[in-house]
Amino acid sequence: MYSIRRICCIGAGYVGGPTMAMIANKCPHIDVKVVDINADRIAQWNSDSLPVYEPGLLEIVQANRHRNLHFTTAIDESIRGADMIFIAVNTPTKTFGNGAGKAANLEFIEKCARQIGAVSTGHKIVVEKSTLPVRTAEAVKSILSHSTGNATFDILSNPEFLAEGTAIEDLLNPDRILIGGESPAAVQSLVDVYANWVPRERLLTTNLWSSELSKLTANAFLAQRVSSINAISALCEATGADVDEVAAAIGTDSRIGPKFLKASVGFGGSCFQKDILNLVYLCEHFGLPEVAAYWEQVVRLNDYQKRRFVQRMVRTMFNTVSDKRIAVWGFAFKKDTNDTRESAAIYVCRDLLEERAKLSIYDPRVSETQIRTELAQAMLGPDGRLSPASERLLAENIEVATSAPAAAHNSHAIALLTEWDEFRHLDFLAVFHHMHKPAFLFDGRNLLKSQQLHKLGFRYHAIGSN
Ligand code: NAD
Ligand code: UGA
């Protein structure tokens, strides 16, 4: 049995920050250090302007910071002092070499393992919190077994299932906590940490490989539901059915259930696409091309849904949006987060810019710099550079507004791309008056009330209905 008194978490991102804040909050007897190589990020965690926006997060951080929750760049020292080390670094899709575009880039994980091996003494429990391909623990174990000191290690897999925007609620009240590992004593020590607030029956223990694979599978199943309903949304538009009605009808079947059936402009976020592509890569690697093709289609359908949204806008606006002003409401990949990674908005804006539209973008939590950086990245050519034409579009055709009505002022159309609550409660009559007519509103989240908007005079188009 190991008694855990000091935890170090490597990676102060969307997962490391909130999960460690919750452990510190629920386990006052454990000292938690969250470390990162990014000094700016650590400085933000030590301020009241956190790098991650999550409802309720600031309050939890403020209540525990400098007590048993510390954010620091002193990585070696924090690793050395810890009984248990979580690795919560990023595992993006590889962009180079073998497996580029699909496999996970495990460079950051490997660097962490080497650093842990280099500075540790005594016994450490190393916990994979990042989402990893099956059998990564083997590599981590092998690196640690060659560590220079005389330290010994147990490796656990403890994938995180929180969703952004609801991270605090998810961490407080998780459906389950999954812990995979070979050493019963090490597994038990992590079970004991979570048991401070999670009911025992929700603490699931498995072997290492099942735990690693369950995380990829959970994300693949969730994303598959979104792509499934989005596929049906295209058929609804062609037939006169209404996708929200179809979702409500099938969701009452207890075998299907009502969640994750909201048709949208497409799923985004840092993980769904990355994790499915990783699964696809694994299937190909293990000689299962049919299984790989099955899952890859979930991502392809999502790309189709984003493209289809822009094509519908252009078609509806008399086949041209060139020189038209389009308000973009929302840039984050979902509401209640400042995260824009893989947001559908990036690809919708890019395609609209390529159609020569003029964009006026508003998001309540995303900065102008972040919007411009994402769009510049999305418009890079195959040679990794911006063409002069793209540079001109980025410089001349994008404005960032400070409110939704300001973005819509003098516009020909609105594209609602993130389901922020504030978009439900606007003075739509005033918005309508200040737009060019006909005033189009394309609701990529089926957030607004179609009948009311039609009554005001909008040409309102939702996903999966006509
Ligand atoms: P992130 O990019 O927000 O944070 C990762 C952090 O790790 C960065 O701040 C980076 O500077 C730091 N880092 C990288 N290498 C380091 C090193 N060698 N030493 C110290 N710090 C280092 O990523 P994230 O969104 O928190 O995701 C982390 C992992 O968790 C990923 O594997 C992801 O798939 C998984 N995950 C994410 C979510 C989510 O909602 N974002 C949910 C569940 C699981
Ligand atoms: C997702 C999973 O829900 C988490 O369990 C997992 O831990 C996380 O990925 C991860 O591994 O990173 P997240 O991406 O933060 O969480 O947010 P989701 O609520 O899953 O939404 C993902 C995307 O799908 C968003 O763009 C959202 O708008 C979209 N979505 C979701 C729909 O279009 N329709 C739906 O019905 C649900």
Side-chain angles (χ1 to χ4, degrees), residues 187-337:
V187 169
Q188 189 58 42
S189 66
L190 186 52
V191 164
D192 289 345
V193 170
Y194 283 109
N196 283 290
W197 79 98
V198 181
R200 291 270 172 179
E201 64 275 13
R202 292 199 212 158
L203 301 171
L204 308 185
T205 56
T206 64
N207 78 29
L208 270 170
W209 325 122
S210 303
S211 173
E212 289 179 340
L213 185 57
S214 298
K215 173 63 196 175
L216 290 184
T217 308
N219 273 357
F221 268 60
L222 290 169
Q224 180 201 42
R225 281 177 72 98
V226 179
S227 276
S228 296
I229 199 69
N230 281 343
I232 296 301
S233 77
L235 191 58
C236 287
E237 286 163 33
T239 57
D242 179 319
V243 76
D244 285 338
E245 289 179 356
V246 174
I250 64 167
T252 54
D253 184 326
S254 59
R255 295 166 303 173
I256 297 175
K259 294 184 182 166
F260 265 71
L261 286 181
K262 187 72 184 164
S264 69
V265 57
F267 63 73
S270 61
C271 293
F272 276 1
Q273 176 169 307
K274 153 178 94 70
D275 292 350
I276 294 176
L277 291 176
N278 190 347
L279 194 62
V280 169
Y281 180 75
L282 281 171
C283 295
E284 284 169 353
H285 175 80
F286 287 105
L288 304 168
E290 289 82 0
V291 187
Y294 175 78
W295 286 110
E296 191 163 14
Q297 191 58 24
V298 172
V299 174
R300 285 182 185 216
L301 199 290
N302 196 49
D303 290 337
Y304 161 77
Q305 187 75 348
K306 292 180 273 189
R307 255 193 337 267
R308 205 171 74 75
F309 185 80
V310 175
Q311 285 166 357
R312 190 177 182 208
M313 285 182 72
V314 175
R315 201 174 56 242
T316 310
M317 294 171 73
F318 317 112
N319 290 310
T320 176
V321 292
S322 174
D323 216 28
K324 288 181 181 163
R325 189 178 156 93
I326 296 177
V328 174
W329 285 359
F331 200 80
F333 81 98
K334 63 187 284 199
K335 74 170 180 177
D336 290 339
T337 177

